[in-house]
Amino acid sequence: MKQKLLLLDSLGALSSVLFLVAIGQYEQFFGINKEIIQLLVPIPILFSVYSFLSYYFSNTKWPLFLKIIAVANILYCLVTLCILFIFFKQLSLLGISYFSIEIAVIFTLALYELKIAQIHTTQTRRQS
């Protein structure tokens, strides 16, 4: 059950891709140009593939795979936060809202993933 977090992460990353592509189509509403969106889109695509493959092929090492994607998600949040600050003046309220919500959701999920992976690792060590 817990390794299904990898599947959830994969689907979440795919939803980020879809939202970013949509935002790129409506630059005038969000205030972020397509070039920045095109730089961001490959990251969640890569994360989605990684998380799905980790879920699909996971075995006893799923907590490690979960930790890796959680850290990657936190780094993505930092990149997104930098973009938010750099382009703050040109972003619309809708753009600021989207990126802020995305950061909050991804960061919360990443912290939860780290917690679950740590709990499982600790339990496994105690059983050994």
Side-chain angles (χ1 to χ4, degrees):
M1 175 64 177
K2 292 175 184 163
Q3 63 197 96
K4 287 190 178 177
L5 274 173
L6 290 163
L7 185 59
L8 176 65
D9 194 278
S10 178
L11 295 173
L14 273 180
S15 69
S16 286
V17 171
L18 295 175
F19 280 116
L20 286 170
V21 168
I23 287 170
Q25 300 302 311
Y26 298 101
E27 183 178 335
Q28 69 275 16
F29 295 115
F30 292 91
I32 190 85
N33 63 40
K34 284 185 181 182
E35 290 78 21
I36 300 303
I37 298 297
Q38 289 171 345
L39 289 174
L40 285 175
V41 166
I43 299 169
I45 290 173
L46 179 66
F47 288 5
S48 180
V49 170
Y50 171 85
S51 293
F52 180 76
L53 291 175
S54 295
Y55 167 76
Y56 189 76
F57 293 110
S58 67
N59 52 22
T60 58
K61 294 188 180 205
W62 68 264
L64 173 62
F65 299 144
L66 195 60
K67 285 179 187 177
I68 291 169
I69 196 62
V71 170
N73 280 330
I74 290 169
L75 293 174
Y76 179 73
C77 287
L78 291 174
V79 167
T80 306
L81 189 61
C82 288
I83 287 170
L84 187 62
F85 283 123
I86 292 168
F87 295 99
F88 190 80
K89 288 185 180 184
Q90 82 181 51
L91 287 171
S92 67
L93 183 57
L94 195 56
I96 293 167
S97 298
Y98 169 75
F99 287 113
S100 297
I101 291 168
E102 182 183 53
I103 290 167
V105 169
I106 293 171
F107 190 75
T108 301
L109 177 63
L111 291 179
Y112 182 70
E113 289 170 338
L114 286 172
K115 180 180 176 183
I116 294 299
Q118 186 59 42
I119 288 169
H120 185 271
T121 302
T122 303
Q123 289 174 347
T124 304
R125 285 184 190 151
R126 286 182 185 161
Q127 292 172 355
S128 300

